[in-house]
Amino acid sequence: MPDDQRLIGVLLVAALLGAPAGAQDTTAADSLQIAAGWDVARYQPYDAVLSFKLTRALRPNEGRIAVIVGRADLSALLELRSGRARLPLRGERIPAGDLDVEAWLVAADGSWRELGRFPLKRLTRSGFETMAMRPRLNVQSAGQLDARLPEGAPPPPRTAVYQDVTAEGGFDGALTREGWNVSWQGNVAGASYAPARLRAGQLGPDAPAMDLASYNVRATRGSFALAAGHVALGSNRLLASQFRSRGVTADVTFAKRVSIAIGSSAGSELVGWHDMLGLSRPTHRVAAATLGIEALPTRPGLLRLELTSLDGSLQPLPAFTQQAATDREQSRGYGAQLVAADASQRMRLTIGMARSRFDNPRDPGLAGDSSIVAVRPETRGARFGEVALDALRGAKIGSVPTSLAIVVRHERTDPLYRSVAAFVQADRQQDGLEANGSAGVIQWQASASRARDNLDEVASLLITRTRNYAVNAALPLGALVSAPNAWWLPALTVGWQGTTQRGDSTPPNSGFRALSQIPDQRTGNIAVGAVWQRSIWSANYRVNRSIVDNRQPERTRADFETLAQAIGVGLTSPRGSIALDLSHEVLDNVELGKSALNNRFGVQGDWRPFVHSTLSGAVSLSLARDDAATQRARNVELRFEASQGFNAWVRPPDGSQARAFIRFGRAGAALRLAGLRQPSVAQWTLDGGLSLRLF
């Protein structure tokens, strides 16, 4: 019996020890879990009903299920039905886009246990994946409150008191849906004063008070892009170089190797609400196409070939800001451009060419009754090349970091070469060399170029040869001697520029009657500046000397020399600033042996007594005379302004929503000639206005 009792005791202990473990396994298997019943990788409608799958029904003694979408607790909307749950989103003010959906089990004792966390992609109310729209509108009112003109002055074109209202605004935004990305932006401008309106030069008083200045809509999907509005055509600098106007473009890339860009636009810059695509006039249109081929798709830009074609026709319709009598023009052409570089981008090569057939057809509107010799169509070419080399990159000479970059350029355009979509000067060859680099804290750059025209050497035309040279350097002396706290050591800038222009011998039948009329001139300019900069004050000194040396026969002494010096001192603080400028200039006429002197004194400052309040003013005095004291002139200008900003209904983070200003300006002049004082003249104006950011 003792053995049997011992055996029974062991079995009882084992049963007691195994009961908790068995109970725990049963509880884990019976634990409530939840899963998303929607496709988490796809966007769901704005008013979607989210479904959940439960591993079992919720028991009465377990508590309740809480569901949080984004930051909103929508537990009250949850519908439970035998192992399934539904959550309608209709009417709920939760954002669109990428959200998190959290499911929790809230026990009777108030404890929370997470059941699951799932992503939700929610469309906007309009059915897009993302959508943003940002309008803006600023209104300004400025005008003259009072004025006084000098006696005997002609009456002004407007009354002494007037107020003009201008408006500047726009809109920009973007949306996405099923791989499509669409963005747009636009700008509008308006004015109450008719001559200040956007198309006043074209339409005069009929110009709209509020007009469309520019707009652009662009849609992309993968490697395809479509744009309308103000676009740019072409990347060949000789044939079609970023020709900007209102039009339509399309771009597509195949396997990252071949790209095609086509587009068409109006022949001149367009504004306004009419002709939104810029293609309503077939005879005033530019069309271009570019085929790009990448030899190494995995390393774009290392070897790329671009082929461009152009077909353009321009009517005598200048741009809205251009007031000119233009002529009809037509051109057709093609061009090629090759871009190559090594793997490190240390050496880069760009070469290109273009051929263009240009025609200037007869325009009866310009010819009138005159007998004009017809211009023959001409087919001419142009070429360019550019080599850039980073000779020293990340190098050191001793312990001094040193860099050196060199660029060599060549460009030649044949006589009579012309393209309606590129602004290239014909009958000219230019060659240039540029270099820039650094040695520690010293920065420098230098350039040299030469050019000549009349490439066909037409006997009746003058050949002009031009050479330009320039050197600039910046030397921060404090850092150069390793004394950054030595405030008395300035930062120096030094620059020199020289130009030589010379014409060949006098061409026959050219209109030149003497050798003295053939250009032969050298000009030079050297400028040195020193700047001292501290936290609350700054000072600068500038000196500039320029020489014009004429070398034509009989004009060797027709030279000019100018020496100008200036000093500036300024103080700044969080509440205001003040700056003082002094300058002295001497102009010597070598041929006449005369000198003219100009001195100027100016002071300007501003004070901000409150957050959005500003008081500012400026005073300048200019004195001019010649060395013989036969002419003296004095000009005095004063300007004082007070402005106050305030917020009407919002507080913008970058200033005030509205600002009112009042400005007083006065100008006076006095002149004395040969000892005789001329009557002094003076005038003043009082202006005022208001600017308001509506949204």
Side-chain angles (χ1 to χ4, degrees):
M1 289 299 296
D3 294 337
D4 295 338
Q5 293 176 354
R6 188 179 297 111
L7 178 60
I8 293 172
V10 172
L11 293 175
L12 289 174
V13 171
L16 292 174
L17 293 176
Q24 186 176 0
D25 293 342
T26 303
T27 304
D30 195 42
S31 176
L32 179 64
Q33 300 294 328
I34 193 170
W38 68 91
D39 188 351
V40 297
R42 300 188 62 181
Y43 275 86
Q44 304 300 314
Y46 188 82
D47 56 354
V49 177
L50 303 183
S51 62
F52 301 88
K53 299 177 182 178
L54 283 68
T55 55
R56 61 172 174 79
L58 181 67
R59 295 168 182 162
N61 60 349
E62 286 184 303
R64 64 182 180 87
I65 296 179
V67 178
I68 299 175
V69 180
R71 295 184 178 181
D73 188 349
L74 305 183
S75 305
L77 303 178
L78 189 65
E79 303 173 2
L80 294 174
R81 294 181 182 176
S82 62
R84 303 189 68 88
R86 298 174 70 255
L87 180 66
L89 299 181
R90 182 187 299 274
E92 297 305 317
R93 295 186 177 182
I94 55 177
D98 293 333
L99 304 171
D100 283 334
V101 179
E102 305 172 15
W104 297 80
L105 178 61
V106 184
D109 60 358
S111 61
W112 288 55
R113 180 171 70 86
E114 184 173 339
L115 299 178
R117 185 185 297 263
F118 320 103
L120 170 63
K121 297 177 177 293
R122 190 188 191 199
L123 296 175
T124 65
R125 190 183 299 272
S126 303
F128 299 104
E129 296 170 4
T130 62
M131 184 175 182
M133 182 71 176
R134 294 172 294 273
R136 68 182 187 280
L137 180 61
N138 302 325
V139 179
Q140 297 86 31
S141 172
Q144 189 169 275
L145 305 179
D146 199 0
R148 178 183 176 184
L149 298 179
E151 295 183 4
R158 306 183 66 181
T159 60
V161 179
Y162 60 87
Q163 198 72 203
D164 296 333
V165 178
T166 60
E168 181 275 329
F171 50 89
D172 59 87
L175 59 86
T176 59
R177 177 67 187 271
E178 296 180 352
W180 283 97
N181 295 276
V182 181
S183 62
W184 61 88
Q185 65 84 27
N187 297 285
V188 296
S192 61
Y193 185 47
R197 294 171 182 171
L198 198 58
R199 285 187 286 167
Q202 291 179 327
L203 304 179
D206 297 330
M210 183 67 74
D211 223 342
L212 178 64
S214 66
Y215 86 96
N216 179 267
V217 179
R218 183 174 178 83
T220 62
R221 182 174 184 177
S223 59
F224 175 75
L226 180 66
H230 283 75
V231 297
L233 301 181
S235 59
N236 188 302
R237 70 176 70 178
L238 301 175
L239 188 68
S241 177
Q242 294 296 298
F243 183 83
R244 296 190 61 84
S245 188
R246 187 178 290 180
V248 178
T249 62
D251 305 86
V252 63
T253 302
F254 302 97
K256 298 182 180 180
R257 180 182 293 272
V258 179
S259 62
I260 299 176
I262 59 174
S264 182
S265 70
S268 58
E269 185 71 15
L270 293 183
V271 296
W273 305 102
H274 72 296
D275 196 4
M276 294 297 290
L277 296 181
L279 306 178
S280 63
R281 294 175 178 266
T283 57
H284 189 66
R285 186 185 299 173
V286 173
T290 300
L291 171 66
I293 302 174
E294 292 281 357
L296 303 171
T298 57
R299 302 293 298 273
L302 291 189
L303 185 59
R304 178 178 174 83
L305 175 65
E306 291 184 351
L307 305 176
T308 303
S309 65
L310 172 75
D311 186 357
S313 175
L314 306 185
Q315 290 291 324
L317 298 172
F320 72 100
T321 58
Q322 179 184 8
Q323 295 184 357
T326 58
D327 203 355
R328 293 177 58 196
E329 297 178 348
Q330 296 176 356
S331 72
R332 291 183 178 179
Y334 59 89
Q337 182 170 291
L338 178 68
V339 180
D342 65 343
S344 64
Q345 295 287 323
R346 184 181 292 271
M347 177 176 288
R348 302 170 299 278
L349 169 68
T350 305
I351 57 176
M353 56 77 62
R355 296 285 292 177
S356 177
R357 184 181 188 275
F358 179 76
D359 187 14
N360 197 189
R362 185 178 184 275
D363 188 345
L366 293 178
D369 298 332
S370 304
S371 298
I372 298 178
V373 178
V375 178
R376 295 181 304 177
E378 295 284 351
T379 301
R380 296 300 177 99
R383 66 174 186 260
F384 74 91
E386 179 178 298
V387 178
L389 172 64
D390 293 339
L392 296 175
R393 180 197 290 178
K396 285 188 176 181
I397 298 180
S399 60
V400 179
T402 306
S403 66
L404 173 63
I406 301 173
V407 179
V408 181
R409 294 187 175 92
H410 166 77
E411 183 173 320
R412 177 190 171 96
T413 53
D414 289 345
L416 303 179
Y417 177 86
R418 178 82 166 89
S419 173
V420 298
F423 302 98
V424 181
Q425 185 175 352
D427 196 15
R428 186 176 178 86
Q429 178 173 316
Q430 303 178 75
D431 301 286
L433 172 65
E434 294 182 8
N436 65 81
S438 64
V441 295
I442 300 176
Q443 305 286 331
W444 63 272
Q445 59 181 11
S447 64
S449 65
R450 65 181 183 182
R452 65 154 290 182
D453 56 10
N454 193 10
L455 301 180
D456 281 348
E457 298 185 359
V458 179
S460 60
L461 297 179
L462 177 70
I463 298 177
T464 304
R465 305 179 188 272
T466 305
R467 284 176 168 80
N468 291 288
Y469 308 92
V471 178
N472 295 279
L475 301 88
L477 296 184
L480 188 61
V481 300
S482 300
N485 296 324
W487 62 267
W488 58 89
L489 294 176
L492 295 180
T493 57
V494 181
W496 172 79
Q497 182 177 2
T499 300
T500 300
Q501 190 173 63
R502 181 176 58 83
D504 284 0
S505 59
T506 307
N509 303 321
S510 62
F512 294 101
R513 297 183 298 274
L515 291 176
S516 60
Q517 297 177 338
I518 303 299
D520 191 357
Q521 186 183 84
R522 293 185 180 181
T523 61
N525 183 79
I526 184 169
V528 179
V531 177
W532 294 263
Q533 185 71 50
R534 303 298 291 174
S535 59
I536 63 172
W537 66 270
S538 64
N540 63 82
Y541 171 73
R542 308 177 302 277
V543 59
N544 182 282
R545 182 173 182 82
S546 61
I547 298 175
V548 178
D549 182 9
N550 286 295
R551 300 193 169 193
Q552 305 101 312
E554 303 177 4
R555 298 196 69 232
T556 56
R557 289 185 53 80
D559 302 334
F560 298 90
E561 299 181 3
T562 303
L563 177 63
Q565 303 179 74
I567 298 175
V569 179
L571 296 173
T572 60
S573 73
R575 285 293 186 90
S577 64
I578 186 171
L580 174 68
D581 289 301
L582 298 172
S583 65
H584 174 70
E585 183 180 20
V586 180
L587 174 63
D588 293 324
N589 187 323
V590 178
E591 184 177 24
L592 300 180
K594 293 183 178 182
S595 299
L597 289 79
N598 294 282
N599 297 301
R600 182 185 179 277
F601 166 82
V603 60
Q604 59 182 355
D606 62 85
W607 178 44
R608 295 175 290 277
F610 307 106
V611 176
H612 297 309
S613 302
T614 302
L615 301 175
S616 62
V619 179
S620 67
L621 170 64
S622 300
L623 302 174
R625 66 179 179 87
D626 57 12
D627 53 356
T630 59
Q631 176 176 319
R632 294 176 180 268
R634 182 182 74 249
N635 292 277
V636 181
E637 295 184 2
L638 300 92
R639 179 187 59 82
F640 300 100
E641 180 176 323
S643 64
Q644 175 64 50
F646 56 92
N647 297 313
W649 60 86
V650 295
R651 294 181 178 272
D654 56 346
S656 59
Q657 182 190 9
R659 178 167 291 273
F661 77 92
I662 186 169
R663 181 189 306 123
F664 173 79
R666 185 184 185 278
L671 179 64
R672 176 182 291 181
L673 296 175
L676 299 178
R677 185 183 298 274
Q678 306 296 318
S680 300
V681 294
Q683 66 179 30
W684 59 263
T685 59
L686 182 64
D687 301 329
L690 173 70
S691 62
L692 177 63
R693 288 191 288 179
L694 296 178
F695 51 83

